[in-house]
C-alpha cells in the first residue's frame, strides 16, 4: 500500500503555537517522520507532501498524494481554554469510507496506552472553524483521506503525550493494525 503522509503546515506557517518552542509544524513533522518508520517496517511505501520543515501549498500537497492508496495529514490541535484535550480525526463530511477508517484508528490508538487518551471522535470538515479542509477535499475522492490530531498543544497533558517518541509509533502501529498489516 502507498501511504501519503502530510505533516501539517510548514515553512512560514507554524500552525498552532503553544509555549515557546512548541509549534505544530515542527511537532507534526516529527510525528509523521516517526510514523513513516512504522509504515516502512510494515512494508508500506510512503510518499511525503513535505519531507522537510519547508512549506507546501494545498494544491502541491494534493499533487504529492496522486498515486497513493491512503492520505494521512498529521496535525496538532489548539484551543484558548488549556483544559480542552483529546485526540480527534477529521474527514470530508459524508465520506463514510474515510470516517470508518478514522474511527477505527482512534479506537486502535486508545488501546495502546496504559492511560487512555481522551477521544473526541471523528469530525466532518464542514464543522471546523476553518471551513472545509483543502487537503482532504483534494484527495478523498481517490483514496481514504484523514486528518489526525492526537492532542492539543495548548493542554499540558496532551503536549506531554505528543512530545513522547512513543506516541507517533503508536499512531503508526494503530493505523497499520486498522489497515490489516
Amino acid at each position: 500500500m502507498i501511504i501519503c503522509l502530510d505533516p501539517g503546515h510548514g515553512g512560514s506557517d507554524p500552525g498552532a503555537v503553544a509555549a515557546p518552542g512548541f509549534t505544530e509544524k515542527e511537532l507534526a513533522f516529527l510525528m509523521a517522520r516517526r510514523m513513516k518508520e512504522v509504515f516502512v517496517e510494515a512494508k508500506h511505501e510512503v510518499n511525503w507532501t513535505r519531507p522537510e520543515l519547508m512549506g507546501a501549498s494545498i494544491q502541491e500537497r494534493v499533487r504529492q498524494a496522486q498515486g497513493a492508496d491512503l492520505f494521512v495529514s498529521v496535525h496538532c490541535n489548539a484551543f484558548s481554554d488549556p483544559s480542552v484535550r483529546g485526540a480527534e480525526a477529521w474527514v470530508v463530511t459524508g465520506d463514510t469510507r474515510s470516517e470508518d477508517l478514522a474511527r477505527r484508528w482512534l479506537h486502535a490508538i486508545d488501546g495502546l496506552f496504559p492511560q487512555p487518551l481522551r477521544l473526541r471522535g471523528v469530525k466532518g470538515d464542514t464543522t471546523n472553524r476553518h471551513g472545509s479542509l483543502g487537503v482532504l477535499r483534494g484527495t478523498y475522492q481517490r483514496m481514504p483521506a484523514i486528518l489526525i490530531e492526537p492532542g492539543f498543544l495548548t493542554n499540558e497533558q496532551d503536549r506531554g503525550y505528543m512530545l513522547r517518541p512513543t506516541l507517533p509509533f503508536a499512531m503508526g502501529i494503530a493505523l497499520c493494525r486498522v489497515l490489516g498489516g
Side-chain angles (χ1 to χ4, degrees), residues 38-100:
V38 174
F39 297 150
V40 168
E41 188 162 318
K43 307 293 186 231
H44 295 295
E45 184 180 329
V46 177
N47 293 344
W48 285 91
T49 60
R50 62 175 188 95
E52 299 174 19
L53 289 175
M54 63 188 190
S57 70
I58 297 296
Q59 295 79 14
E60 180 58 29
R61 290 168 191 249
V62 169
R63 274 193 296 279
Q64 293 290 338
Q66 289 180 356
D69 302 304
L70 172 64
F71 182 83
V72 180
S73 191
V74 181
H75 289 257
C76 306
N77 222 329
F79 195 66
S80 57
D81 179 352
S83 69
V84 175
R85 62 180 297 267
E88 62 190 23
W90 293 86
V91 299
V92 169
T93 300
D95 177 12
T96 56
R97 174 179 61 168
S98 296
E99 185 177 346
D100 178 61

Side-chain angles (χ1 to χ4, degrees), residues 46-171:
V46 177
N47 293 344
W48 285 91
T49 60
R50 62 175 188 95
E52 299 174 19
L53 289 175
M54 63 188 190
S57 70
I58 297 296
Q59 295 79 14
E60 180 58 29
R61 290 168 191 249
V62 169
R63 274 193 296 279
Q64 293 290 338
Q66 289 180 356
D69 302 304
L70 172 64
F71 182 83
V72 180
S73 191
V74 181
H75 289 257
C76 306
N77 222 329
F79 195 66
S80 57
D81 179 352
S83 69
V84 175
R85 62 180 297 267
E88 62 190 23
W90 293 86
V91 299
V92 169
T93 300
D95 177 12
T96 56
R97 174 179 61 168
S98 296
E99 185 177 346
D100 178 61
L101 176 68
R103 185 173 290 108
R104 290 186 297 137
W105 172 77
L106 280 171
H107 289 291
I109 193 171
D110 188 44
L112 294 175
F113 288 93
Q115 289 183 311
L117 297 173
R118 182 175 185 288
L119 300 183
R120 295 174 50 88
V122 179
K123 316 280 188 190
D125 74 329
T126 57
T127 63
N128 82 76
R129 67 183 180 272
H130 306 294
S132 65
L133 300 169
V135 292
L136 297 180
R137 291 272 162 185
T139 53
Y140 85 100
Q141 291 179 332
R142 295 182 307 236
M143 68 197 79
I146 62 175
L147 186 150
I148 57 177
E149 294 184 308
F152 283 72
L153 275 177
T154 47
N155 177 275
E156 188 176 349
Q157 185 176 3
D158 277 6
R159 189 170 56 245
Y161 269 128
M162 289 188 291
L163 289 172
R164 291 182 192 165
T166 53
L167 178 67
F169 286 119
M171 290 168 39

